[in-house]
Amino acid sequence: MSSTPENGSVPRNGPTPENGPTAENGPAPTSGSAPEARPPGPKVVIIGAGIVGCSLADELTARGWTDVTVLEQGPLPAPGGSTSHAPGLVFQTSPSKALAAFAKYTVEKFGSLEVDGVPCFHQVGGLELATTPERLAELHRRAGYAASWGIRAEVVSTARCKELWPLIDESLVLGGLHTPDDGLARALLAAHAQRERATGRGARFLDRHTVTGIERETGRVTAVVTDRGSFPADHVVSAAGFWGPVIGRMAGVDVPLQPLAHQYAKTQPLPELAGATAEASKPILRFQDRDLYFREHHDRVGIGSYAHRPLPVDPFAVPAYDEARARNLDMPSSFAFTEDDWAPSWDDCRRLMPALRGAEIEEGFNGVFSFTPDGMPVLGESRTLRGFWLAEAVWVTHSAGVARAVAEWMVDGRPSIDLHECDLTRFEDAQRSPSYVRERGCRQFVEVYDVIHPLQPIEGPRPLRVSPFHARQQELGAFFLEGGGWERPHWYEANAPLVDALDGLPERDAWSARYWSPIAAAEAKATREKVALYDMTPLRRLEVTGRGALAFLDRMTSNNLRKKPGAVTYTLLLDETGGVRSDLTVARLAPDRFQVGANSPADLDWLLGHAPEDVHLKDITSGTCCIGVWGPLARELVQPLTRDDFSHEGFGYFRAKETYIGHVPVTAMRLSYVGELGWELYTSADLGLRLWDTLWEAGREHGAVAAGRSSFNSLRLEKGYRAWGVDMTDEHHPFEAGLGFAVRMDKDGFVGQEALRDLPDVTRRLTPLLLDDPASVVLGKEPVHVGGAPAGYVTSAGYGYTLGHCIAYAWLPPLAAGTAVHIEYFGEKVPATVAEEPLFDPKMTRIRR
């Protein structure tokens, strides 16, 4: 959250896209000269004149789209949404690369703005305190995130924490994380400055206009209807904050967002701060072990708490501005302070700061702001209503960065940074119910300051989606984690006796041992030596049919799909710039019928958005299931169960057959993402349990085991198989990601082909690293140091049980094999070496036998 309500009038010149702000370098001040005349662009209506709406109007008009109307139901300059009460904290460090980039740009942009000589950003820095060893370790991990994303940060001593914040009781503090470039954003002031700039370029801002409807025709938005007239539009952007679901319902577009109230209070003036002339001189302070944060307000201290019970708010019941005033509320987003919720936090505050023990709270309120089921913003254009965009669940901290990304998306066709974590299509249908959004939104509130492990699953609602084999997996003692609503076995306790046969498995530290078991190593060994069954049901499956299916898929993807039925092809979905939107496996099952293995709902959305009328696409994931049968004995297990020839000659690698396994009709594909002989076997969900039982019974004589995602990840890293969304995104092109083999530049035109022809020299590569110490483990997102300085960051990481070393893939400048690097893990520099890939079975003899 960010900023304090202050008003002004005349902004100085600040960053605009016309003269050079980039994702890497940030904004550059303008000269103030008038831009040359150019067409105003399409008609854009932005709903909401909070910090997001004002920032977006500034970014759009700076890019030449000047026919922009911003509608606001409340009065300007303080319309009464979350921006009007935001308390001002801007912390840039985040596990999410996208959120860090948003916050960095917000700091840079707001730091260049002022109104009547008052700056819109006060760079006092930030300080996070640790009062437990676990939190201190977390601060070292957060310092690693900062280094990975190019943010200045340092873990500091107790004495330095006391120096930065003299009011704290240093006896409680073990250390802190100091981020000198963080600070306080004055949200209303920054909104004012950007509103003035956008107005100067042709935009108009209309307050006291309540939106009552969204008009549409043939699948496109055409106008926004208000209580004071209609406004034609080619594009409509909902930047309505916690009213987002209300606007979404008018447009027929789901907005998975839950508003919650959050306590904020200010003390009476403190003698220890008497005579303060600046609004704030000390860093913004976070006491996350008690879910608290602090900032100065001249001679008072402002305190925010996430420690209280979740207080969900119905966005359809929030009063309008005048109605809120009639109820003696300051604004629609400011609810009455609940004293009982505050009492425990006030005790914690006084323990941390002895100066508060004789003080009282002078004022407080419960401010409303937005949470989503995964804590990320909801951004992008609806495919079902073209021209309708969302820029929702955005805190002031990320506002300018989000506005830039959405403006790039609208004007240029794509943002300059990867936004798959924020894409409005990312949620599954099962994750969009009102009860799910409410429960998960409340949980996100509770977990704001929690130490979250990278593998930590959501607590509820679970189980939500289960494969047909779920009952059998429970019988085998499966340890489930969750992804996309699916219960995913990570290992099976039934395999615990196999651990006794392992040699030299190193001990793990407490952090990397969470959500891990040595059973994973035993399952990996069983896969390499015998055969294992893997539940691959959660992997997305699309059916593509129709007379134009082949031509369509061939145009949309990078590899050659013009092969006879029975062929399976690994290929890439690229955008127009050559960025990797996704990787796919495409099986041609008949001349006009294909099964596509995809990654996320965004893949279907992208393909549907480009499909001609003679092509039909359907997500068949929920109605089907899949078992991966992999290992050197896979053929011995499967062949007796079918009359079809499963020999290497009769069923080659990357081939598909529709056949029967016992009584079960299956689509068998000879693919392997673990580097061993085997097949993916697909059938309908109703026959899934019979397929599992058939394979399980036949596997007994071969020592078959059920194996989980933990061993799967280890095995796929040994083969160097990429995971989209982790190892590469649309920020990366295929050649630097090591996927050039999936690109056929000599085939007729495909999306992204022209951009690939004009690529500059490669300046970074997805690079395999082997940790030198067999006992060392990293988990991902750690900074990698080359020559003593941060040079990149880890994407995927996991222990390679076959190799006896941890494997880490990282984005780094091109480096020769054998180059020594260091990976920063909880503040320690762990030595590693650049390796050749694939690390395991480079001649592919194990798969092709």
Side-chain angles (χ1 to χ4, degrees), residues 556-599:
M556 294 302 297
T557 66
S558 63
N559 212 337
N560 176 31
L561 301 186
R562 295 185 178 277
K563 303 171 183 176
K564 294 179 180 179
V568 183
T569 306
Y570 177 82
T571 188
L572 306 174
L573 273 184
L574 306 179
D575 64 20
E576 289 81 357
T577 70
V580 181
R581 286 190 56 93
S582 188
D583 62 341
L584 312 175
T585 53
V586 179
R588 190 177 189 187
L589 303 179
D592 296 334
R593 180 165 61 91
F594 296 80
Q595 181 171 309
V596 177
N599 285 295

Short mmCIF file of all heavy atoms in Angstrom, two decimals, residues 556-599:
data_model
loop_
_atom_site.label_atom_id
_atom_site.label_comp_id
_atom_site.label_asym_id
_atom_site.label_seq_id
_atom_site.Cartn_x
_atom_site.Cartn_y
_atom_site.Cartn_z
N MET A 556 0.37 -20.77 -35.87
CA MET A 556 0.48 -20.23 -34.51
C MET A 556 1.71 -20.70 -33.78
O MET A 556 2.07 -20.13 -32.74
CB MET A 556 -0.77 -20.63 -33.70
CG MET A 556 -2.06 -20.01 -34.19
SD MET A 556 -2.02 -18.20 -34.19
CE MET A 556 -1.80 -17.87 -32.45
N THR A 557 2.39 -21.77 -34.27
CA THR A 557 3.52 -22.34 -33.54
C THR A 557 4.78 -22.37 -34.39
O THR A 557 4.73 -22.22 -35.61
CB THR A 557 3.18 -23.75 -33.04
OG1 THR A 557 3.03 -24.63 -34.16
CG2 THR A 557 1.91 -23.75 -32.21
N SER A 558 5.90 -22.63 -33.73
CA SER A 558 7.21 -22.41 -34.37
C SER A 558 7.77 -23.63 -35.09
O SER A 558 8.63 -23.49 -35.96
CB SER A 558 8.21 -21.97 -33.30
OG SER A 558 8.39 -23.00 -32.33
N ASN A 559 7.33 -24.82 -34.75
CA ASN A 559 7.91 -26.03 -35.34
C ASN A 559 7.02 -26.52 -36.50
O ASN A 559 5.93 -26.01 -36.71
CB ASN A 559 8.06 -27.13 -34.28
CG ASN A 559 9.25 -28.02 -34.54
OD1 ASN A 559 9.73 -28.13 -35.66
ND2 ASN A 559 9.74 -28.67 -33.48
N ASN A 560 7.50 -27.50 -37.21
CA ASN A 560 6.77 -28.04 -38.36
C ASN A 560 5.73 -29.06 -37.89
O ASN A 560 6.07 -30.10 -37.34
CB ASN A 560 7.75 -28.71 -39.33
CG ASN A 560 7.03 -29.38 -40.48
OD1 ASN A 560 5.97 -28.92 -40.90
ND2 ASN A 560 7.59 -30.46 -41.00
N LEU A 561 4.47 -28.74 -38.10
CA LEU A 561 3.39 -29.65 -37.72
C LEU A 561 2.81 -30.41 -38.91
O LEU A 561 1.91 -31.23 -38.74
CB LEU A 561 2.26 -28.86 -37.04
CG LEU A 561 2.62 -28.08 -35.79
CD1 LEU A 561 1.36 -27.49 -35.16
CD2 LEU A 561 3.34 -28.96 -34.77
N ARG A 562 3.32 -30.15 -40.09
CA ARG A 562 2.77 -30.80 -41.30
C ARG A 562 3.36 -32.20 -41.44
O ARG A 562 4.17 -32.48 -42.31
CB ARG A 562 3.02 -29.92 -42.51
CG ARG A 562 2.28 -28.59 -42.43
CD ARG A 562 2.41 -27.74 -43.67
NE ARG A 562 1.64 -26.51 -43.55
CZ ARG A 562 0.34 -26.37 -43.79
NH1 ARG A 562 -0.35 -27.43 -44.20
NH2 ARG A 562 -0.26 -25.21 -43.65
N LYS A 563 2.92 -33.05 -40.52
CA LYS A 563 3.36 -34.44 -40.48
C LYS A 563 2.14 -35.34 -40.53
O LYS A 563 1.01 -34.89 -40.29
CB LYS A 563 4.15 -34.70 -39.19
CG LYS A 563 5.37 -33.79 -39.02
CD LYS A 563 5.99 -33.95 -37.64
CE LYS A 563 7.16 -32.99 -37.43
NZ LYS A 563 7.71 -33.06 -36.06
N LYS A 564 2.36 -36.60 -40.82
CA LYS A 564 1.25 -37.55 -40.93
C LYS A 564 0.60 -37.77 -39.57
O LYS A 564 1.24 -37.62 -38.53
CB LYS A 564 1.75 -38.87 -41.49
CG LYS A 564 2.24 -38.78 -42.93
CD LYS A 564 2.75 -40.13 -43.41
CE LYS A 564 3.24 -40.06 -44.86
NZ LYS A 564 3.75 -41.37 -45.33
N PRO A 565 -0.68 -38.17 -39.56
CA PRO A 565 -1.30 -38.54 -38.30
C PRO A 565 -0.47 -39.58 -37.56
O PRO A 565 0.10 -40.49 -38.16
CB PRO A 565 -2.67 -39.10 -38.72
CG PRO A 565 -2.97 -38.35 -40.00
CD PRO A 565 -1.65 -38.21 -40.68
N GLY A 566 -0.41 -39.42 -36.26
CA GLY A 566 0.43 -40.26 -35.43
C GLY A 566 1.69 -39.56 -34.98
O GLY A 566 2.39 -40.06 -34.09
N ALA A 567 1.97 -38.39 -35.53
CA ALA A 567 3.17 -37.64 -35.14
C ALA A 567 2.87 -36.76 -33.94
O ALA A 567 1.78 -36.20 -33.80
CB ALA A 567 3.67 -36.79 -36.31
N VAL A 568 3.88 -36.61 -33.07
CA VAL A 568 3.82 -35.68 -31.95
C VAL A 568 4.99 -34.71 -32.10
O VAL A 568 6.11 -35.14 -32.40
CB VAL A 568 3.91 -36.41 -30.59
CG1 VAL A 568 3.78 -35.42 -29.44
CG2 VAL A 568 2.84 -37.49 -30.50
N THR A 569 4.73 -33.43 -31.89
CA THR A 569 5.75 -32.41 -32.11
C THR A 569 5.84 -31.49 -30.90
O THR A 569 4.81 -31.01 -30.40
CB THR A 569 5.42 -31.56 -33.36
OG1 THR A 569 5.23 -32.42 -34.47
CG2 THR A 569 6.53 -30.56 -33.66
N TYR A 570 7.07 -31.25 -30.46
CA TYR A 570 7.30 -30.23 -29.44
C TYR A 570 7.48 -28.90 -30.15
O TYR A 570 8.28 -28.78 -31.10
CB TYR A 570 8.54 -30.55 -28.61
CG TYR A 570 8.88 -29.49 -27.58
CD1 TYR A 570 8.22 -29.48 -26.35
CD2 TYR A 570 9.85 -28.52 -27.82
CE1 TYR A 570 8.52 -28.51 -25.39
CE2 TYR A 570 10.15 -27.56 -26.87
CZ TYR A 570 9.48 -27.55 -25.66
OH TYR A 570 9.78 -26.59 -24.71
N THR A 571 6.72 -27.89 -29.74
CA THR A 571 6.74 -26.62 -30.45
C THR A 571 6.48 -25.48 -29.48
O THR A 571 6.22 -25.71 -28.29
CB THR A 571 5.70 -26.63 -31.60
OG1 THR A 571 5.84 -25.46 -32.39
CG2 THR A 571 4.28 -26.73 -31.06
N LEU A 572 6.55 -24.26 -29.97
CA LEU A 572 6.44 -23.08 -29.12
C LEU A 572 5.33 -22.17 -29.62
O LEU A 572 5.13 -22.01 -30.82
CB LEU A 572 7.75 -22.29 -29.11
CG LEU A 572 9.02 -23.06 -28.73
CD1 LEU A 572 10.24 -22.17 -28.91
CD2 LEU A 572 8.93 -23.59 -27.31
N LEU A 573 4.62 -21.58 -28.68
CA LEU A 573 3.74 -20.46 -28.96
C LEU A 573 4.55 -19.18 -28.76
O LEU A 573 5.02 -18.92 -27.65
CB LEU A 573 2.55 -20.43 -28.00
CG LEU A 573 1.29 -21.21 -28.30
CD1 LEU A 573 0.26 -20.91 -27.22
CD2 LEU A 573 0.72 -20.89 -29.66
N LEU A 574 4.73 -18.42 -29.80
CA LEU A 574 5.47 -17.16 -29.72
C LEU A 574 4.52 -15.98 -29.90
O LEU A 574 3.46 -16.12 -30.51
CB LEU A 574 6.56 -17.09 -30.79
CG LEU A 574 7.56 -18.25 -30.86
CD1 LEU A 574 8.55 -18.03 -32.00
CD2 LEU A 574 8.29 -18.43 -29.53
N ASP A 575 4.90 -14.82 -29.36
CA ASP A 575 4.16 -13.61 -29.70
C ASP A 575 4.84 -12.93 -30.88
O ASP A 575 5.81 -13.45 -31.44
CB ASP A 575 4.03 -12.68 -28.49
CG ASP A 575 5.36 -12.16 -27.97
OD1 ASP A 575 6.36 -12.17 -28.72
OD2 ASP A 575 5.40 -11.72 -26.80
N GLU A 576 4.33 -11.77 -31.26
CA GLU A 576 4.82 -11.12 -32.48
C GLU A 576 6.27 -10.67 -32.36
O GLU A 576 6.94 -10.44 -33.37
CB GLU A 576 3.93 -9.93 -32.83
CG GLU A 576 2.54 -10.30 -33.33
CD GLU A 576 1.57 -10.64 -32.21
OE1 GLU A 576 1.99 -10.64 -31.03
OE2 GLU A 576 0.39 -10.90 -32.50
N THR A 577 6.78 -10.54 -31.13
CA THR A 577 8.18 -10.14 -30.95
C THR A 577 9.12 -11.33 -30.85
O THR A 577 10.33 -11.15 -30.66
CB THR A 577 8.33 -9.28 -29.69
OG1 THR A 577 8.14 -10.10 -28.52
CG2 THR A 577 7.33 -8.13 -29.68
N GLY A 578 8.58 -12.54 -30.94
CA GLY A 578 9.40 -13.74 -30.80
C GLY A 578 9.52 -14.23 -29.38
O GLY A 578 10.25 -15.20 -29.12
N GLY A 579 8.82 -13.60 -28.43
CA GLY A 579 8.85 -14.06 -27.05
C GLY A 579 8.09 -15.36 -26.86
O GLY A 579 7.09 -15.61 -27.55
N VAL A 580 8.56 -16.19 -25.94
CA VAL A 580 7.97 -17.51 -25.73
C VAL A 580 6.74 -17.38 -24.83
O VAL A 580 6.86 -17.25 -23.61
CB VAL A 580 8.99 -18.49 -25.12
CG1 VAL A 580 8.36 -19.87 -24.94
CG2 VAL A 580 10.24 -18.58 -25.98
N ARG A 581 5.56 -17.43 -25.42
CA ARG A 581 4.32 -17.39 -24.64
C ARG A 581 4.04 -18.71 -23.93
O ARG A 581 3.44 -18.73 -22.86
CB ARG A 581 3.13 -17.07 -25.55
CG ARG A 581 3.02 -15.64 -26.01
CD ARG A 581 1.68 -15.42 -26.69
NE ARG A 581 0.58 -15.79 -25.81
CZ ARG A 581 -0.05 -14.94 -25.00
NH1 ARG A 581 0.31 -13.67 -24.98
NH2 ARG A 581 -1.04 -15.35 -24.23
N SER A 582 4.46 -19.80 -24.57
CA SER A 582 4.24 -21.12 -23.97
C SER A 582 4.98 -22.15 -24.80
O SER A 582 5.43 -21.86 -25.91
CB SER A 582 2.75 -21.45 -23.94
OG SER A 582 2.49 -22.64 -23.20
N ASP A 583 5.15 -23.34 -24.25
CA ASP A 583 5.63 -24.46 -25.05
C ASP A 583 4.54 -25.54 -25.05
O ASP A 583 3.81 -25.71 -24.08
CB ASP A 583 6.97 -25.00 -24.55
CG ASP A 583 6.92 -25.53 -23.13
OD1 ASP A 583 5.98 -25.18 -22.37
OD2 ASP A 583 7.83 -26.29 -22.75
N LEU A 584 4.41 -26.23 -26.17
CA LEU A 584 3.31 -27.17 -26.39
C LEU A 584 3.84 -28.49 -26.93
O LEU A 584 4.89 -28.54 -27.57
CB LEU A 584 2.32 -26.62 -27.42
CG LEU A 584 1.81 -25.18 -27.28
CD1 LEU A 584 0.93 -24.84 -28.48
CD2 LEU A 584 1.03 -25.01 -25.98
N THR A 585 3.10 -29.56 -26.68
CA THR A 585 3.26 -30.78 -27.47
C THR A 585 1.97 -30.96 -28.27
O THR A 585 0.87 -30.88 -27.72
CB THR A 585 3.49 -32.01 -26.57
OG1 THR A 585 2.45 -32.09 -25.60
CG2 THR A 585 4.84 -31.94 -25.89
N VAL A 586 2.12 -31.15 -29.57
CA VAL A 586 0.98 -31.24 -30.47
C VAL A 586 0.96 -32.62 -31.10
O VAL A 586 1.90 -33.00 -31.82
CB VAL A 586 1.03 -30.15 -31.56
CG1 VAL A 586 -0.17 -30.28 -32.49
CG2 VAL A 586 1.08 -28.76 -30.93
N ALA A 587 -0.07 -33.39 -30.80
CA ALA A 587 -0.23 -34.74 -31.37
C ALA A 587 -1.28 -34.68 -32.46
O ALA A 587 -2.43 -34.28 -32.21
CB ALA A 587 -0.63 -35.72 -30.29
N ARG A 588 -0.89 -35.09 -33.66
CA ARG A 588 -1.86 -35.16 -34.77
C ARG A 588 -2.48 -36.55 -34.75
O ARG A 588 -1.86 -37.55 -35.15
CB ARG A 588 -1.18 -34.88 -36.10
CG ARG A 588 -2.18 -34.69 -37.24
CD ARG A 588 -1.53 -34.33 -38.55
NE ARG A 588 -2.56 -33.95 -39.54
CZ ARG A 588 -2.29 -33.71 -40.82
NH1 ARG A 588 -1.05 -33.82 -41.28
NH2 ARG A 588 -3.27 -33.37 -41.64
N LEU A 589 -3.73 -36.63 -34.27
CA LEU A 589 -4.39 -37.92 -34.11
C LEU A 589 -5.18 -38.33 -35.34
O LEU A 589 -5.46 -39.51 -35.53
CB LEU A 589 -5.31 -37.88 -32.89
CG LEU A 589 -4.61 -37.50 -31.56
CD1 LEU A 589 -5.62 -37.47 -30.43
CD2 LEU A 589 -3.48 -38.47 -31.24
N ALA A 590 -5.56 -37.36 -36.14
CA ALA A 590 -6.28 -37.60 -37.40
C ALA A 590 -6.00 -36.40 -38.28
O ALA A 590 -5.44 -35.40 -37.82
CB ALA A 590 -7.77 -37.77 -37.13
N PRO A 591 -6.36 -36.45 -39.57
CA PRO A 591 -6.04 -35.31 -40.44
C PRO A 591 -6.52 -33.97 -39.89
O PRO A 591 -5.82 -32.96 -40.02
CB PRO A 591 -6.75 -35.68 -41.75
CG PRO A 591 -6.73 -37.18 -41.76
CD PRO A 591 -6.93 -37.58 -40.33
N ASP A 592 -7.71 -33.94 -39.26
CA ASP A 592 -8.26 -32.68 -38.78
C ASP A 592 -8.50 -32.70 -37.27
O ASP A 592 -9.35 -31.96 -36.76
CB ASP A 592 -9.57 -32.36 -39.50
CG ASP A 592 -9.37 -32.13 -40.98
OD1 ASP A 592 -8.26 -31.73 -41.38
OD2 ASP A 592 -10.33 -32.36 -41.76
N ARG A 593 -7.76 -33.53 -36.54
CA ARG A 593 -7.94 -33.60 -35.09
C ARG A 593 -6.59 -33.67 -34.39
O ARG A 593 -5.77 -34.54 -34.70
CB ARG A 593 -8.79 -34.82 -34.72
CG ARG A 593 -9.04 -34.96 -33.21
CD ARG A 593 -10.16 -35.96 -32.93
NE ARG A 593 -9.86 -37.29 -33.43
CZ ARG A 593 -9.24 -38.24 -32.71
NH1 ARG A 593 -8.87 -38.00 -31.45
NH2 ARG A 593 -9.03 -39.42 -33.23
N PHE A 594 -6.40 -32.77 -33.43
CA PHE A 594 -5.14 -32.67 -32.72
C PHE A 594 -5.40 -32.63 -31.21
O PHE A 594 -6.41 -32.08 -30.76
CB PHE A 594 -4.39 -31.38 -33.10
CG PHE A 594 -3.97 -31.32 -34.53
CD1 PHE A 594 -4.88 -30.96 -35.53
CD2 PHE A 594 -2.67 -31.61 -34.91
CE1 PHE A 594 -4.51 -30.90 -36.85
CE2 PHE A 594 -2.28 -31.54 -36.23
CZ PHE A 594 -3.20 -31.19 -37.21
N GLN A 595 -4.48 -33.20 -30.45
CA GLN A 595 -4.47 -33.02 -29.00
C GLN A 595 -3.24 -32.21 -28.65
O GLN A 595 -2.12 -32.56 -29.03
CB GLN A 595 -4.47 -34.35 -28.25
CG GLN A 595 -4.48 -34.17 -26.73
CD GLN A 595 -4.69 -35.48 -25.99
OE1 GLN A 595 -5.63 -36.22 -26.30
NE2 GLN A 595 -3.82 -35.76 -25.04
N VAL A 596 -3.45 -31.11 -27.93
CA VAL A 596 -2.37 -30.18 -27.61
C VAL A 596 -2.13 -30.19 -26.11
O VAL A 596 -3.06 -29.96 -25.31
CB VAL A 596 -2.73 -28.75 -28.08
CG1 VAL A 596 -1.63 -27.77 -27.68
CG2 VAL A 596 -2.95 -28.73 -29.59
N GLY A 597 -0.90 -30.45 -25.71
CA GLY A 597 -0.50 -30.32 -24.31
C GLY A 597 -0.03 -28.91 -24.07
O GLY A 597 0.93 -28.45 -24.69
N ALA A 598 -0.73 -28.18 -23.20
CA ALA A 598 -0.47 -26.76 -22.99
C ALA A 598 -0.12 -26.50 -21.52
O ALA A 598 0.04 -27.44 -20.73
CB ALA A 598 -1.67 -25.93 -23.42
N ASN A 599 -0.02 -25.23 -21.15
CA ASN A 599 0.41 -24.87 -19.80
C ASN A 599 -0.66 -24.21 -18.95
O ASN A 599 -0.87 -24.60 -17.82
CB ASN A 599 1.63 -23.95 -19.87
CG ASN A 599 2.91 -24.69 -20.23
OD1 ASN A 599 3.37 -25.52 -19.47
ND2 ASN A 599 3.46 -24.40 -21.41
#
